[in-house]
Amino acid sequence: MALLCALAAPVGCSPGAPPPPPEDARPSAPAQPPRAHLRSVKGGVLLKRAAGDEWVSAQEGQALYENDKVRTVAGASALVAFVNGSELSLGESALVGIAETRPAPGRDRSDVTVLRGRVDAELQDPERQSLTVSTPAATVKAGREIVFQ
């Protein structure tokens, strides 16, 4: 075992220490650019990464990527600020997913899936932006301020 460690990674190995994990097994940041960031995090707000299995406490300013999920508990709230300027305000007991966004010619587009709870959406420039909100039962495309319950 020590010989393998010495051959694979001579720096930082000690006799009896397990070899370091292979490069492709180490956790890494997503290669894609963030779709949004968390703002105004109040109370219990949780985040589950697309590639993760656990819910962790969300932090102000945290980047959100495609297929990440954000959940608020009772009495909590958060603001999801998309990179194109549109915003999604999450009320208490909400569960949303940052959906994969397919580019639309001439429009900055954001996509989100609302699985539970109340969200308020606002577009900074409705002429250039669109926000698609999907639920288990429907899909709504917004071009102006819109409230989903």
Side-chain angles (χ1 to χ4, degrees):
M1 186 65 122
L3 180 60
L4 177 61
C5 186
L7 291 175
V11 178
C13 285
S14 62
E23 284 295 323
D24 58 357
R26 294 179 186 162
S28 61
Q32 61 190 342
R35 296 287 181 205
H37 289 84
L38 282 172
R39 305 276 187 252
S40 304
V41 174
K42 295 179 183 152
V45 179
L46 304 170
L47 171 65
K48 182 177 175 187
R49 293 287 183 202
D53 293 329
E54 297 182 22
W55 289 95
V56 296
S57 292
Q59 304 297 320
E60 182 95 15
Q62 202 160 18
L64 300 174
Y65 301 91
E66 285 183 355
N67 299 314
D68 284 351
K69 290 185 174 55
V70 178
R71 182 174 77 184
T72 57
V73 300
S77 64
L79 181 72
V80 175
F82 288 91
V83 294
N84 70 1
S86 57
E87 295 179 339
L88 191 69
S89 178
L90 309 180
E92 67 178 335
S93 303
L95 172 59
V96 300
I98 307 302
E100 293 181 27
T101 300
R102 292 168 191 85
R107 292 186 71 85
D108 285 334
R109 183 171 156 185
S110 301
D111 295 336
V112 67
T113 302
V114 178
L115 300 165
R116 180 179 64 225
R118 176 190 169 121
V119 300
D120 296 322
E122 185 174 331
L123 302 178
Q124 193 175 55
D125 183 0
E127 299 300 319
R128 286 188 329 99
Q129 297 171 318
S130 70
L131 175 68
T132 300
V133 177
S134 298
T135 70
T139 298
V140 177
K141 292 183 182 181
R144 301 242 182 256
E145 185 177 332
I146 191 164
V147 176
F148 301 94
Q149 290 188 14

